[in-house]
Amino acid sequence: MDIATTVVRSRNLKAMVIDTRSLRSTAGVAPGAEATNATIPDRCTPFRLPGGGETGAWMTDTGVSFAQGRLPLGPTESPQSTVVFTVKSAADGKLAADFNGTDDLASQCAEFERSSTMSVPGGPAGGLTTTYLVRLVTPPPVGQKAYATVQKAKGLGTADMGTAGMQVLAGTVSIDLALGLWPVNAETTGRALDSMAAFARELIDQAVKNPPSSPQPNPAGARTPDELARLLAGVTGPADTKYYVSPTEARAITGAPGSPAPSQTGCAYDDATYFAALAGNAAMAQAIASTGDKAIAFDLSLISMGTAIRQPYPFDHRTLAIKKCTTVQANIIGQGAITLEPVQPLDVKLDGDSSYAFRYQTAGEPGHWQIRLGARKGTTSIEVSSVKWRSLEESEVQPAADAAATIIGQVLEKAG
């Protein structure tokens, strides 16, 4: 859903939004855990908890559009500083049914227990059951209807950890939010609810400004987002290394077509200008690829340009703008305006019509490296970068660069 993507990008933090297409595609290939819930007393069943496994019905309902994601509240991520959310949109009051009776039951369900049994393919027989002690708390004013919960798992002993959750209904949109609490007290709960309500209001405002519309047609001559997502899903990395690919986004690149191409000069790496030059005439898919132990993790971005985009291509401008630069002024989605210094070329071979590969440091992490590589072949381009939360030591840079170059080669070879 574009409303979630727009709001998280406006925060200029490294957030993640996974759209309907990607979520349904992933669920079809790799079914996740199934949850069975029981509530004591039973009359409190209508109150939903965040991450409670209550996703099956709307996951397969084609009348419901949805997105899931994570939004850090600051430059660092932790369970206590990252909002986990699901946004759903559906017509005909379908989502309002989830809130039926909750106002009348609030006084009777001030406290209740919820047991959730998770069954995972290949997991233990009978699944794993966790019981939560749940309190209803008053949320800040938001939406047409809203309720909030604080839950703690039983059996934690002296560990004072929990989760604040909020469910919000606003017209044809409902929002499920969660934020970790540690410790669990009135102060941390109040801060969490205020943060989640502020985010929910932004989502609602964006939904009002951009009501549902007909899906945008795919740009002429470009691969579809689904085709691009499948190209990324098959990457394997270097020999003897297995990568797990998590799709994060697949869509047409929107915006006003015909924006000026990025500047060729100035040692600049500007995502906003680059995507503006592609707007309306290209499709994209993005994903995270990582090894099982997360020792190596990359952000992947694959773009297919339509026939309306002429040479010199925006990717080539992007490449020329950083050629031979030792300092680069960057504007990176999710990070904002930052200075990359020092910038040094990477010793890798990339096949394609145009390419770049460099490593860099930032003032926030001196002595630690990040890498960025990209290549274009025909009208298809792919960019791979190390994830922001996993910087690299000197000894890790070359193996990571080799792995990224291998992924680029695999995708461009598959693309043909």
Side-chain angles (χ1 to χ4, degrees):
M1 290 170 59
D2 287 344
I3 61 171
T5 301
T6 300
V7 172
V8 298
R9 284 183 175 170
S10 72
R11 299 283 187 107
N12 220 5
L13 295 167
K14 190 62 176 178
M16 175 189 293
V17 178
I18 308 177
D19 62 11
T20 310
R21 176 193 290 107
S22 299
L23 287 165
R24 286 195 173 123
S25 175
T26 301
V29 175
E34 294 183 1
T36 303
N37 297 318
T39 305
I40 301 175
D42 184 67
R43 62 175 174 270
C44 300
T45 299
F47 292 99
R48 291 174 293 131
L49 300 182
E54 299 140 331
T55 60
W58 53 264
M59 181 68 82
T60 57
D61 186 344
T62 56
V64 179
S65 297
F66 53 92
Q68 294 178 332
R70 301 193 307 270
L71 176 73
L73 299 176
T76 60
E77 289 192 49
S78 74
Q80 292 77 43
S81 66
T82 303
V83 177
V84 179
F85 65 90
T86 299
V87 185
K88 293 177 282 187
S89 175
D92 304 325
K94 183 177 295 187
L95 301 177
D98 290 338
F99 292 78
N100 286 348
T102 54
D103 291 342
D104 297 333
L105 289 169
S107 61
Q108 304 174 51
C109 297
E111 294 185 355
F112 60 91
E113 289 190 4
R114 174 73 50 81
S115 294
S116 181
T117 301
M118 305 295 290
S119 299
V120 182
L128 179 64
T129 299
T130 305
T131 300
Y132 299 96
L133 298 175
V134 184
R135 289 187 298 112
L136 287 180
V137 293
T138 303
V142 59
Q144 293 170 282
K145 285 189 175 184
Y147 61 86
T149 56
V150 173
Q151 66 189 68
K152 291 180 66 175
K154 295 179 71 173
L156 289 178
T158 59
D160 195 15
M161 298 180 292
T163 302
M166 188 180 296
Q167 309 288 336
V168 180
L169 176 69
T172 59
V173 172
S174 74
I175 309 166
D176 173 323
L177 308 107
L179 188 58
L181 299 176
W182 182 44
V184 182
N185 57 40
E187 182 180 355
T188 58
T189 299
R191 286 201 303 264
L193 296 180
D194 287 342
S195 296
M196 291 189 290
F199 179 40
R201 293 187 195 104
E202 290 185 60
L203 291 169
I204 294 167
D205 288 346
Q206 189 64 31
V208 171
K209 294 175 185 176
N210 297 278
S213 58
S214 300
Q216 182 175 355
N218 201 62
R223 296 176 188 266
T224 67
D226 281 336
E227 290 172 332
L228 294 173
R230 286 194 290 271
L231 287 172
L232 290 181
V235 300
T236 58
D240 302 322
T241 303
K242 179 176 177 56
Y243 277 80
Y244 297 86
V245 179
S246 302
T248 57
E249 194 172 7
R251 62 180 176 86
I253 298 174
T254 56
S259 299
S263 170
Q264 293 187 47
T265 60
C267 289
Y269 188 92
D270 191 333
D271 280 350
T273 308
Y274 176 56
F275 282 102
L278 296 166
N281 295 310
M284 68 179 294
Q286 295 181 326
I288 295 175
S290 62
T291 53
D293 59 2
K294 301 295 190 295
I296 298 179
F298 297 118
D299 287 318
L300 313 180
S301 181
L302 180 62
I303 290 175
S304 175
M305 295 179 288
T307 53
I309 297 181
R310 305 295 184 187
Q311 297 191 46
Y313 293 125
F315 180 90
D316 299 346
H317 285 290
R318 187 169 172 85
T319 299
L320 288 170
I322 55 177
K323 190 174 183 180
K324 296 183 179 180
C325 294
T326 57
T327 300
V328 171
Q329 299 303 318
N331 178 25
I332 299 173
I333 291 174
Q335 298 182 48
I338 55 174
T339 299
L340 314 183
E341 185 181 20
V343 174
Q344 299 173 356
L346 289 169
D347 184 17
V348 293
K349 185 178 185 303
L350 295 172
D351 293 327
D353 303 318
S354 177
S355 65
Y356 67 84
F358 64 90
R359 68 176 187 169
Y360 65 91
Q361 296 182 17
T362 63
E365 285 192 291
H368 293 81
W369 297 94
Q370 298 281 354
I371 62 172
R372 288 186 173 269
L373 301 85
R376 177 187 63 79
K377 185 177 180 181
T379 57
T380 301
S381 63
I382 176 171
E383 295 178 290
V384 179
S385 60
S386 51
V387 293
K388 181 178 181 294
W389 47 264
R390 175 66 172 89
S391 57
L392 303 170
E393 301 293 337
E394 179 70 36
S395 61
E396 297 175 308
V397 171
Q398 192 60 46
D402 292 339
T406 299
I407 290 173
I408 288 174
Q410 288 174 347
V411 173
L412 290 181
E413 183 178 0
K414 289 172 61 179

